[in-house]
Amino acid sequence: MDNAQIADRLDALASLVELGDASPYATRAYRRAADIIRATTTPVAELVRAGRVRQLRGIGPGIEVRLRELVETGEIRELQELERELAPDLVGLGRYLGLSARRSVELARALDVRTADELREAAAEGRLRSVPGIGPKTEALLVEALAREPEPRPRQGLLLNRARELVGTIAAALGGEAAGDVRRWRDSCELLAVVCAAADPDPVLARFAGLPQIVALVEQGERRAVGVTVEGVPVELVAVEPERFGTAVVRATGSPAYVAALEPLPDAPDEEAVYRALGLPWCPPELREAPFHGEPPPLVQEGDIRGDLHCHTTWSDGRASVEEMGRAARERGYDYLAICDHTPAVGAVQGLTPDDVRRQADEIAAANELLAPFRVLRGIECDILPDGRLDLPDDVLAELDWVQASVHGGQRMPRAEMTKRVEEALRNPSVRCLSHPKGRYINRRPENALDLEHIFQVALEEGVALEVNGLPDRLDLRGEHVRDALRAGVQIVCSTDAHSERGLGNMTLSVATARRGWATAADVVNTRPLHAILRAGRR
Ligand SMILES: [Zn+2]
Ligand SMILES: [Zn+2]
């Protein structure tokens, strides 16, 4: 059993435990363990057999017991019981149709149906209304939803990292290409698609239906199917003749407007051939939003990045030490890493006082002795107080190599007030970058009212950069705003805001977001060498 298979079973367990009455903590712990196992290079089954699996950070005794069971017997009994009891295919279908998981389970029990097909049958026979709690209105909605040509969109967009994981795993299992929103690196993914080249589509369609991630099919044609996950997220599969594979990938990748402007698409086996036949230069997927026929600019690449300028350590809410973070950044091939822990006003977690900042300087100096010529920079993520003042005295800020200014509390301020607050902070000569400027959490908190156009002007005057934060639920600035910033002449920084060594990997998401904003390497501050970062200091 390989790491991906083990991780899949833990994810399945997480999804089903979530439906039961277990604490949300258990669900999160299983998901986190699945992520860790997927990212681990050592075979986890061997670690389990050797009794060493708890050496992986995030694997506690409860998870170890289940891992041992899985490795020794090939199954987790609790998971099998939950699958029997909860009918994941009905839950997936129910969620896709707009029912809660609990309601789906109740429905399955009351009607004694075990599969999506049986549910359709029950609906056709008019048996839905016999279920307590299902009135004529819900019945009508369900019957209609079951009959309708389904629109393969989730009820809420998926975070990019989760969508990439899901679509990437399915594409890899089928030997296909991940397409749809994931391939354009959208911040919230709705169209999840996989394209496979297959002269005979039947085996691919059958394998798709049998994947552990797909609990039910909501649609099946000759060369196309839509399956749903237990979360009710639809994934579309297109199995196309090999000679038209490129055409199908172009069609499944671009936004509807982008694709429509290219139609009619010529048949071709790969994307390059499609663009050649159209007489157009190849277009990076990130730019396939609005219709575009020109020569794309040379977009920034992850390999251009020389260092990460925003991360946390155990001094605030990070999980690794200064030295561990520095070492991990050096292993990524970077030349520098700025440690930007929080200041006290952030509230929920511990923040650094002026004394702490100076004590941390010693630790950073010690790390630099060990890691040279790699350089750990003294930085801070300094809260912007409600009145625009910064959360540390000017003389402390002036000592530092890199200062991020951040709004955390009070994101709901009215536009004028918020803009004035941030402007005030950016006027401080020590500030080098504004963190996560719009303050959103995707699916959880809307963007703040900050007037970006005004802030761009201030940033230009002060030589301050704007961050493209790579946390999967932030991705802030988002692509459209990056493009606006660059048009205004403002520089951006691609940062991870990592809270662990692994978090440094979110540079991929930050760079992809910058690329969606048409950024080239010259637009991104941290593509420059260390001396340029230090010399570019504003004093
Ligand atoms: Zn922050
Ligand atoms: Zn941060």
Side-chain angles (χ1 to χ4, degrees), residues 310 312 342 381 406 408 435-436 474 497:
H310 182 173
H312 296 263
H342 286 291
E381 178 173 16
S406 306
H408 289 120
S435 320
H436 40 72
R474 283 199 184 268
D497 201 349

Side-chain angles (χ1 to χ4, degrees), residues 179 236 238 257 329 331 355 393 537:
E236 183 179 17
V238 179
E331 269 162 32
D355 261 7

Side-chain angles (χ1 to χ4, degrees), residues 384-440:
I384 303 175
L385 303 176
D387 62 3
R389 281 180 307 127
L390 289 164
D391 196 23
L392 284 174
D394 286 350
D395 62 325
V396 176
L397 294 174
E399 279 178 24
L400 300 173
D401 301 314
W402 185 260
V403 174
Q404 295 270 147
S406 306
V407 171
H408 289 120
Q411 291 282 3
R412 294 212 187 134
M413 261 183 191
R415 186 176 174 89
E417 210 177 318
M418 179 64 115
T419 305
K420 190 157 167 292
R421 172 185 182 187
V422 171
E423 171 172 359
E424 192 92 358
L426 300 192
R427 297 287 182 202
N428 184 303
S430 294
V431 171
R432 300 288 297 279
C433 182
L434 175 63
S435 320
H436 40 72
K438 291 300 278 178
R440 68 165 175 176

